[in-house]
Amino acid sequence: MLRDQTIITRLIWLALLLAAAEALITGRLSLAFIALVTLGLSMAPIFVARWAEITVPPSFMLAVVMFVGGTVFLGEVFDFYNKFWWWDIVMHGGSAIAFGLTGFVLVFMMFQGDRYAAPPSAMALFAFCFAMAIGALWEIFEFAMDRGFGTNMQKSGLTDTMGDLIVDMGGALVGAGVGYAYMRGQALGGATGVIEEFVSRNPRFFRKWRK
């Protein structure tokens, strides 16, 4: 599955590995740790998918790698959160949309694509809740990193956390809405194509799906 990834994804992984190696050589252990954590988190979906025998589209993996790299590495190491006021909004909003789509796909798989057992409204609700849960877990991760490793992921504390969760809510609504539109047979400017690609690559999980 590593060979199936886009050239951009593999270049980002290589850059993270080189950054970790350079940091270890120069004795900057905190930078090495952040680089390796970023690399591990961005590669985790591949091994989870292999264990679950699921084919993950390269476009989805690219989105995961860009999000994790942008949040943990660029955001913290290169201080993008302070240099660009909109960086945090883009990272949280984009990830919430992606997790909303992920939540939709997961419950869609559970019901084999049966629209009668899992109506579009229920699917959208689950997708929204899933994305919000991931957003809350990420805020816990930020808190743990700040307390355990001296980072500044939470910035202004409670204000930053609540602002992130509000942005997450907006992204989750978009992701859930895309899933709802897909089940209704609507194409939202190609946004539903991400779901279609996943379904087409994993047909054994959607035997009951009929458009």
Side-chain angles (χ1 to χ4, degrees):
M1 294 183 72
L2 293 175
R3 291 192 299 269
D4 296 335
Q5 306 309 314
T6 67
I7 185 65
I8 298 176
T9 298
R10 284 181 282 176
L11 284 175
I12 293 175
W13 283 336
L14 178 61
L16 289 170
L17 190 60
L18 292 175
E22 190 271 339
L24 286 173
I25 292 173
T26 56
R28 292 180 292 174
L29 298 182
S30 61
L31 174 58
F33 174 78
I34 291 175
L36 290 174
V37 166
T38 304
L39 181 63
L41 288 174
S42 64
M43 296 185 74
I46 289 183
F47 299 102
V48 173
R50 179 175 294 177
W51 170 78
E53 298 182 349
I54 297 173
T55 301
V56 178
S59 58
F60 178 82
M61 276 304 308
L62 176 60
V64 170
V65 171
M66 292 180 68
F67 164 70
V68 175
T71 301
V72 180
F73 196 71
L74 294 180
E76 297 303 318
V77 176
F78 292 96
D79 202 25
F80 272 34
Y81 288 117
N82 290 322
K83 291 180 179 178
F84 308 105
W85 64 267
W86 44 265
W87 191 257
D88 197 37
I89 296 175
V90 171
M91 290 293 100
H92 277 274
S95 65
I97 293 173
F99 284 123
L101 293 174
T102 302
F104 172 83
V105 168
L106 287 175
V107 73
F108 201 36
M109 289 171 56
M110 289 170 57
F111 289 96
Q112 290 281 311
D114 189 343
R115 69 169 73 232
Y116 300 104
S121 57
M123 299 274 283
L125 178 61
F126 179 88
F128 173 80
C129 293
F130 180 84
M132 288 301 297
I134 296 297
L137 288 174
W138 182 262
E139 294 304 318
I140 294 173
F141 170 75
E142 287 188 347
F143 175 80
M145 289 292 288
D146 287 354
R147 289 301 180 95
F149 299 97
T151 60
N152 187 30
M153 298 183 74
Q154 286 188 298
K155 304 301 181 291
S156 56
L158 179 61
T159 300
D160 177 80
T161 298
M162 293 309 301
D164 289 345
L165 289 175
I166 291 171
V167 173
D168 289 342
M169 182 177 66
L173 285 171
V174 173
V178 170
Y180 181 86
Y182 177 77
M183 291 198 73
R184 291 294 187 183
Q186 301 171 1
L188 299 179
T192 53
V194 177
I195 300 174
E196 180 61 36
E197 183 181 5
F198 187 91
V199 172
S200 64
R201 286 174 174 265
N202 300 275
R204 66 190 181 91
F205 293 110
F206 305 98
R207 294 189 178 95
K208 299 180 180 179
W209 171 237
R210 297 291 184 275
K211 288 188 177 182

